Amino acid sequence: MDATDRAIINALQGGFPLCERPYAAAAADLGLAESDLIARLERLLADKVLTRFGPLFNADAMGGGFLLAAMKIPPADFERVTELVNAHPEVAHNYAREHAFNMWFVLGAEKPERIEQTIAAIEAETGYPVHRMPKLDEFFIDARFAA
């Protein structure tokens, strides 16, 4: 990452312009051309410096549901279960971990009851229990970089 990449990451964490040409507006604030900003974001994503670029929605505040879940999956069955879990549109992302609970994923849904329906479907499809990790507290964290 160079100083411009760090400036982009710092600037875009706290908000993104809501206008007809948001990339052009964000680029102008950074002293860049719109095409340069877009190319840099694409490169940061391709290089896996950024894992995603997009809005974060508070599903609970919008009347929906959100839950961190974990499963204990035998290594020999991990790939099959991963495909089944990830097939659900409610699964936002899924991570393998070196732990007894070796599969962790986040569920997000428009309606809270859809979370339990999805968990029931995953348990029925995979044959393994899903352990619910409800949010107790919420923390907001940024990653800021010195230019």
Side-chain angles (χ1 to χ4, degrees):
M1 280 193 332
D2 64 16
T4 301
D5 291 338
R6 289 189 292 276
I8 289 168
I9 292 169
N10 289 343
L12 299 184
Q13 283 186 75
F16 198 71
L18 297 176
C19 60
E20 189 173 327
R21 305 248 343 248
Y23 287 94
D29 289 345
L30 289 159
L32 300 171
E34 178 182 26
S35 60
D36 189 28
L37 173 61
I38 292 169
R40 282 176 174 270
L41 288 170
E42 288 173 345
R43 181 182 45 77
L44 290 167
L45 287 163
D47 292 348
K48 307 235 184 280
V49 172
L50 299 178
T51 56
R52 69 178 299 276
F53 180 77
L56 292 174
F57 298 102
N58 185 337
D60 296 331
M62 296 180 348
F66 199 70
L67 181 78
L68 176 64
M71 297 176 76
K72 292 180 182 180
I73 309 299
D77 209 13
F78 200 88
E79 190 172 321
R80 178 189 73 87
V81 173
T82 299
E83 288 182 22
L84 292 169
V85 169
N86 290 350
H88 291 271
E90 296 82 5
V91 176
H93 45 274
N94 188 347
Y95 298 98
R97 296 285 187 241
E98 290 187 25
H99 186 271
F101 289 99
N102 56 350
M103 180 180 291
W104 291 75
F105 53 95
V106 174
L107 295 163
E110 186 176 342
K111 302 283 183 198
E113 59 272 12
R114 187 70 194 129
I115 297 292
E116 285 303 319
Q117 292 166 354
T118 303
I119 288 173
I122 289 170
E123 290 177 333
E125 293 163 5
T126 65
Y128 299 102
V130 174
H131 300 271
R132 295 148 184 84
M133 310 290 177
K135 175 175 60 177
L136 301 177
D137 290 305
E138 188 160 357
F139 302 92
F140 298 93
I141 301 171
D142 294 343
R144 300 290 174 175
F145 300 96

